[in-house]
Amino acid sequence: MNKKHGLIQVISGKNQGKLALIKYDTCKLIGRSIDENDFQADDTYVMDRTLDLDLEEKKMSKINAFLNPKKKIKNTKQIQNPYRRTTDFILDDQELSRAHAMIFFGEDIAGLVDLASTNGTYINGKTIDCTTLHGGEIIVLGKTEIKFSFIEEE
């Protein structure tokens, strides 16, 4: 039986060619380095796993509802992420926020959530807060373009 995964690939920007696999039931944070003096631009590391972000309650509620469509989330002070967080996808792009967006792949849905980034997240030229991904989308974060697709592994 084949396993389906998500794949992100930088198609333009300083990290052109960089790839990451989004395995079933996982998510990745996409952002820039915490301190450019301490890390190489292509380093991958895990940032704060709790996703405590300083977001207004309305936006936090919207993100939680998108990530957890079958649950009513009561605590809106923190993103209730049902996906296992894997290593972050760090890009060398100063227009990205440190925690810019989160991409995930689960049983019923693959999607992308903007984490209150300064410069926004765009899919096929339209600004988004959170959206479902179907494959073939071009994600623009800062000056970086990323293509999302599905792949099958035997």
Side-chain angles (χ1 to χ4, degrees):
M1 182 173 166
N2 292 348
K3 289 183 181 178
K4 194 173 185 181
H5 301 297
L7 179 72
I8 51 176
Q9 178 178 9
V10 178
I11 58 173
S12 73
K14 289 183 179 179
N15 298 108
Q16 188 170 348
K18 185 173 183 173
L19 302 165
L21 194 64
I22 315 298
K23 292 188 175 185
Y24 173 77
D25 216 20
T26 67
C27 68
K28 284 189 181 293
L29 182 135
I30 303 171
R32 67 176 167 85
S33 294
I34 292 174
D35 184 344
E36 290 76 18
N37 296 323
D38 293 338
F39 298 97
Q40 297 295 319
D42 62 350
D43 278 352
T44 302
Y45 55 93
V46 177
M47 294 167 63
D48 181 15
R49 290 183 180 271
T50 61
L51 290 179
D52 281 323
L53 301 169
D54 188 24
L55 300 178
E56 60 185 60
E57 192 170 326
K58 185 177 178 183
K59 179 146 182 153
M60 192 71 75
S61 293
K62 183 177 180 179
I63 291 171
N64 277 324
F66 184 74
L67 290 173
N68 302 279
K70 297 176 183 173
K71 281 170 77 176
K72 180 137 176 93
I73 304 295
K74 293 179 183 174
N75 176 7
T76 57
K77 296 181 195 276
Q78 185 179 59
I79 291 178
Q80 304 295 312
N81 183 4
Y83 302 98
R84 183 175 52 84
R85 186 156 167 208
T86 60
T87 55
D88 296 337
F89 195 65
I90 305 304
L91 298 170
D92 184 12
D93 184 338
Q94 292 304 306
E95 292 194 19
L96 290 182
S97 299
R98 289 184 178 104
H100 195 100
M102 182 180 66
I103 190 165
F104 62 93
F105 178 53
E107 183 176 342
D108 298 324
I109 191 170
L112 183 72
V113 176
D114 180 90
L115 299 174
S117 65
T118 302
N119 293 321
T121 298
Y122 300 84
I123 300 261
N124 298 333
K126 295 180 181 165
T127 187
I128 62 105
D129 285 327
C130 44
T131 191
T132 303
L133 298 172
H134 304 283
E137 291 89 352
I138 303 299
I139 303 163
V140 178
L141 310 168
K143 293 182 178 178
T144 303
E145 290 186 347
I146 299 169
K147 183 173 184 178
F148 175 79
S149 56
F150 290 106
I151 61 168
E152 292 204 18
E153 174 183 58
E154 294 185 29

